[in-house]
Amino acid sequence: MGKIKKGQRIGILTAGGDCPGLNAAIRGVGKTAIVKYDMKLIGISDGFTGMIHKEYRELTEHDLSGILTLGGTILGTSREKPFKSSGKGKNEISKPKLISEHYEQMGLDCLVCIGGNGTLKTAHLLAQEGLNVVGIPKTIDNDVWGTDITFGFDSAVNIATEAIDRLHSTANSHKRIMIIEVMGHNAGWIALYSGIAGGGDVILIPEIEYSDEKVAEYLIHRASENKPYSIVVVAEGIRMAVKDSCSAAQALSRKIRELTGLDTRETVLGYVQRGGTPSPMDRVLATRYGAAAANMIADRDYGKMVALRNDKIESVPLSEPAGKLKLVQKDDFMVKQAQDMGTSFGI
Ligand code: F6P
């Protein structure tokens, strides 16, 4: 198919926590931009840090070859928040000003920002400063407002579910309560989905206030019915009365042992949920997002984030997700269905 010569120079960066699918998204933007539109792709290192220090390189089709299945990000990432005041000296140029200047000096026509809530908020603020920006929503937490799902989430749910599956056999062998803590920051999406996929008996999420006593009562009831073991899936962000400096899983494990006397162990799954090759679903979603972003740039449709709504790729103004979180609703149909099947949410 003939190239539609657009000739724009697109900067692309990945920022915030990494996740599987970032390289698939970079590839989706890049191959569409280069093959369909004859654009130039400029890869910026380590998120907004690379814009502040002008660390970048051109990405060719060759650079994009073989990265679809790679975990992490070939560009690197950081949690740099340029608009957060760093107490700069009065003569120092602000970080946002540096970014705008470097954007011009690099000859960019647009900046693609792939990230979660913080990144998309920075992208929105840069758009208000006059930069042409397009956002792509990523995070394992799936807590970006304005899109049904972020890439990274499906891979994390796969990893967490496989871990839960493995805990069933050891819990059964030892007749134990097994607690597994999954990520998600302040949202409970990973815990909800992996808890249901992995057959969790108890699912605790930040959005539903639970009581230790209710959890204990439920576990004792299961034991009294000769259920040999129970699986408890907790989101790292659950609000706990007493946590000290330990993890949610450790604090909960101590409380359950204290209240029930049952043999209890805990696993904090941690960063494995962020690593490794993306699931096929995440590869597809990241590719769809990337290609859509390139098409938006060709149409000079800036200041927006690509989004998935009812399985259709749309674009929403960057003002929409900025500063908001998409959290599990107490009356979410999946919460209701799980409760109808006897799963406890500790209430
Ligand atoms: O936002 C993704 C995430 O993995 C959260 O689930 C988690 O709470 C956080 O990042 C961990 O942050 P860091 O990578 O800075 O330790």
Side-chain angles (χ1 to χ4, degrees):
M1 188 174 119
K3 289 186 186 246
I4 307 164
K5 287 201 172 301
K6 288 284 179 176
Q8 285 134 304
R9 244 168 97 85
I10 306 177
I12 185 166
L13 61 82
T14 54
D18 76 325
C19 71
L22 279 168
N23 291 317
I26 293 166
R27 178 179 174 277
V29 176
K31 285 183 78 78
T32 308
I34 295 167
V35 174
K36 184 177 178 185
Y37 295 119
D38 199 23
M39 294 175 181
K40 288 273 183 237
L41 188 69
I42 305 300
I44 293 143
S45 303
D46 303 330
F48 294 106
T49 302
M51 281 302 293
I52 293 167
H53 300 294
K54 255 173 84 172
E55 286 154 6
Y56 64 94
R57 69 184 189 279
E58 184 177 348
L59 294 178
T60 64
E61 264 198 277
H62 176 72
D63 295 310
L64 300 174
S65 170
I67 70 169
L68 171 64
T69 59
L70 281 187
T73 160
I74 60 170
L75 296 175
T77 183
S78 70
R79 289 192 180 277
E80 172 62 55
K81 292 186 169 33
F83 288 87
K84 266 222 162 44
S85 64
S86 55
K88 62 174 181 45
K90 63 180 185 310
N91 300 326
E92 266 182 85
I93 301 176
S94 74
K95 290 178 180 177
K97 185 102 179 63
L98 269 177
I99 289 174
S100 298
E101 284 180 5
H102 293 165
Y103 174 95
E104 297 303 332
Q105 291 164 14
M106 291 156 70
L108 298 180
D109 296 297
C110 174
L111 179 63
V112 176
C113 301
I114 307 177
N117 296 297
T119 303
L120 295 164
K121 184 175 176 188
T122 299
H124 173 52
L125 293 171
L126 288 173
Q128 290 182 317
E129 299 277 311
L131 274 62
N132 295 328
V133 178
V134 168
I136 297 180
K138 73 87 193 143
T139 175
I140 65 167
D141 305 339
N142 193 35
D143 60 357
V144 172
W145 184 272
T147 184
D148 291 349
I149 191 166
T150 54
F151 72 80
F153 175 64
D154 183 65
S155 299
V157 170
N158 275 279
I159 293 162
T161 302
E162 197 216 330
I164 294 168
D165 290 351
R166 291 175 180 281
L167 289 177
H168 277 267
S169 59
T170 179
N172 191 27
S173 307
H174 290 267
K175 312 290 178 277
R176 278 171 169 165
I177 307 294
M178 274 291 173
I179 300 170
I180 178 169
E181 178 183 318
V182 296
M183 284 184 158
H185 203 209
N186 293 323
W189 294 108
I190 298 175
L192 179 60
Y193 272 69
S194 63
I196 288 171
D201 303 299
V202 180
I203 300 175
L204 302 180
I205 59 176
E207 299 94 333
I208 297 179
E209 194 169 348
Y210 74 96
S211 105
D212 292 322
E213 290 66 26
K214 288 284 184 195
V215 173
E217 190 183 311
Y218 178 81
L219 294 174
I220 290 169
H221 172 69
R222 279 181 57 83
S224 71
E225 290 200 324
N226 296 321
K227 300 282 174 62
Y229 67 93
S230 292
I231 300 287
V232 180
V233 182
V234 302
E236 63 177 342
I238 56 169
R239 291 178 193 78
M240 309 186 82
V242 179
K243 199 170 161 193
D244 304 338
S245 58
C246 59
S247 69
Q250 287 163 328
L252 186 70
S253 183
R254 190 171 54 223
K255 198 70 188 167
I256 287 173
R257 270 196 294 273
E258 184 190 303
L259 294 175
T260 67
L262 296 170
D263 194 10
T264 307
R265 295 292 188 278
E266 70 278 346
T267 300
V268 178
L269 199 51
Y271 292 85
V272 287
Q273 296 161 90
R274 295 245 299 265
T277 188
S279 68
M281 288 302 287
D282 272 341
R283 296 178 197 184
V284 169
L285 181 57
T287 299
R288 291 177 75 184
Y289 278 165
N295 290 331
M296 283 164 62
I297 292 163
D299 296 340
R300 289 172 169 71
D301 187 13
Y302 301 129
K304 294 185 180 164
M305 169 185 88
V306 294
L308 186 74
R309 290 181 167 175
N310 301 321
D311 200 32
K312 285 198 177 29
I313 296 283
E314 300 181 1
S315 64
V316 298
L318 275 166
S319 55
E320 203 162 304
K324 294 194 199 90
L325 277 184
K326 184 188 70 188
L327 300 173
V328 178
Q329 298 304 300
K330 286 187 178 60
D331 60 354
D332 184 289
F333 74 94
M334 285 182 63
V335 173
K336 291 285 175 212
Q337 282 175 346
Q339 286 174 313
D340 290 350
M341 294 164 66
T343 303
S344 167
F345 285 78
I347 52 180

